[in-house]
Amino acid sequence: QVQLVESGGGSVQAGGSLRLSCVASRNPLCMAWFRQSPGKEREGIAVIGRTDPTPRSVEGRFTISKDNTKNTLILQMNDLQPEDSAMYYCAAGQTSFGGRCPLAYEYYNTWGQGTQVTVSS
């Protein structure tokens, strides 16, 4: 089973940027970023696939990318706001639909330990 190790979280002021990284022990079919705040459900933010050429992000301020040579997933987050404060998780899965990777947590079976992002106003 693939192993995931995240890094890059921290505390920033509103309007700042952070870059999250996730190193995978192998190159899974689908990789995604999720986040979860206390009392809220885990929500998908961005997804990219090994054979899916179009990375997708539900947040225009965030960009997902992947360095396939290093099996490293990146989430560049710009113009961060207090509502972005959450635990951010990297996830890997082997399910796709018509070649497109889903952005729903039930399709991901491997998770990183999470990295905390805190944005102050």
Side-chain angles (χ1 to χ4, degrees):
Q1 188 174 359
V2 64
Q3 294 180 329
L4 306 172
V5 179
E6 299 134 334
S7 62
S11 298
V12 296
Q13 290 190 328
S17 298
L18 282 173
R19 182 180 173 94
L20 306 184
S21 297
C22 174
V23 179
S25 57
R26 298 204 309 265
N27 190 8
L29 180 63
C30 298
M31 295 190 74
W33 287 100
F34 292 79
R35 68 184 178 188
Q36 188 168 22
S37 303
K40 294 186 178 180
E41 290 192 356
R42 190 166 297 191
E43 63 172 331
I45 301 171
V47 61
I48 192 169
R50 191 173 69 225
T51 58
D52 180 358
T54 307
R56 306 192 309 279
S57 173
V58 299
E59 180 56 68
R61 297 174 289 120
F62 297 173
T63 303
I64 189 172
S65 61
K66 189 163 177 280
D67 183 342
N68 287 314
T69 64
K70 299 179 180 178
N71 287 344
T72 300
L73 186 70
I74 302 293
L75 184 68
Q76 178 65 43
M77 304 187 294
N78 297 326
D79 191 24
L80 285 160
Q81 300 300 316
E83 55 265 33
D84 296 317
S85 297
M87 186 72 79
Y88 283 69
Y89 296 92
C90 170
Q94 294 297 121
T95 299
S96 68
F97 298 95
R100 286 173 63 85
C101 294
L103 192 52
Y105 66 84
E106 57 263 33
Y107 295 107
Y108 291 83
N109 54 6
T110 303
W111 295 83
Q113 80 282 3
T115 185
Q116 180 68 41
V117 171
T118 302
V119 185
S120 58
S121 57

